[in-house]
Amino acid sequence: GILIPMIVPVDTPLWMIAVATAFAVVFAKEVFGGTGYNVFNVALVTRAFLFFAYPAAMSGDQVFVRTADTFGIGGGQVVDGFSGATPLGQVAIAGNPMTTWDMFLGLIPGSIGETSVLAILIGAVILLFTKIASWKTMVSVFVGGAVMSLIFNMIGTTVAMCVSPLDHLFLGGFAFGAVFMATDPVTSARTETGKYIYGFLVGAMAIIIRALNPGYPEGMMLAILLMNVFAPLIDYYVVEANINRRLKRVIK
């Protein structure tokens, strides 16, 4: 629950967050049996509900662009600060106008938790030190994203989204999702080998969505929710493979 305010624009009305949270808790958590039994990441279901139910408040120019009229000044001039579409929206349209250093420090607009890769890395160290998150899942997400980004750069399918793999990993909610969302122990793969597969597919799918869907340049949220569905299947086949391998040893 504490992650929900971190993955939405800072000016999202509290009543919207309350409605979305109630929906997610009931339909993504309680119907499956409560805490520890949910199939989908509850925070991401909240984010998905907000994105599809209130799109104007979650993406586009209105979220990050403020005019003088907005502050009651009059005149309709853009005030000092960032003006333009969301960072990933800019990349999807005209390439990446931001520096890697700005993206690393968090000197770009975005949801509270996704802008500063430096802060996310500090959080990653804490999660790994306390053994709350799995480094296998975390690293695999970044590897999957980097590999798929390289593939799209070689193919050149979508020129605007063919930015460097490093920029893809720094932009949007990729780093935050890899560290705090994909590593959720309840909704991610639980087998050791499955964690590698699950993480890799999350990262790869996020880049695929970014590159091939111009109407939705983010991708991380949908990638994680999709792989939440397949996490039990991945674990099943990993366990079956281990059983078959041991049976072959017995037969020999």
Side-chain angles (χ1 to χ4, degrees), residues 1-9 110-115 176 180-181:
I2 194 173
L3 292 178
I4 295 174
M6 305 292 285
I7 58 177
V8 297
S111 300
I112 299 173
E114 71 180 25
T115 55
F176 187 86
F180 296 99
M181 297 298 183

Side-chain angles (χ1 to χ4, degrees), residues 37-144:
Y37 295 96
N38 50 294
V39 176
F40 299 99
N41 185 293
V42 178
L44 283 179
V45 171
T46 303
R47 177 67 167 76
F49 180 90
L50 286 169
F51 181 83
F52 292 108
Y54 308 104
M58 297 301 294
S59 62
D61 293 357
Q62 294 182 1
V63 178
F64 298 106
V65 179
R66 295 294 179 267
T67 64
D69 286 337
T70 305
F71 298 93
I73 302 174
Q77 299 297 316
V78 177
V79 299
D80 291 340
F82 184 87
S83 62
T86 59
L88 276 169
Q90 282 190 324
V91 173
I93 297 172
N96 188 11
M98 297 159 286
T99 66
T100 302
W101 186 245
D102 285 344
M103 291 185 289
F104 180 77
L105 292 180
L107 303 178
I108 60 175
S111 300
I112 299 173
E114 71 180 25
T115 55
S116 175
V117 176
L118 175 61
I120 293 170
L121 289 177
I122 295 174
V125 171
I126 296 174
L127 289 178
L128 295 176
F129 180 78
T130 55
K131 297 182 179 180
I132 295 175
S134 169
W135 67 267
K136 297 177 181 178
T137 302
M138 201 178 293
V139 172
S140 297
V141 175
F142 286 107
V143 173

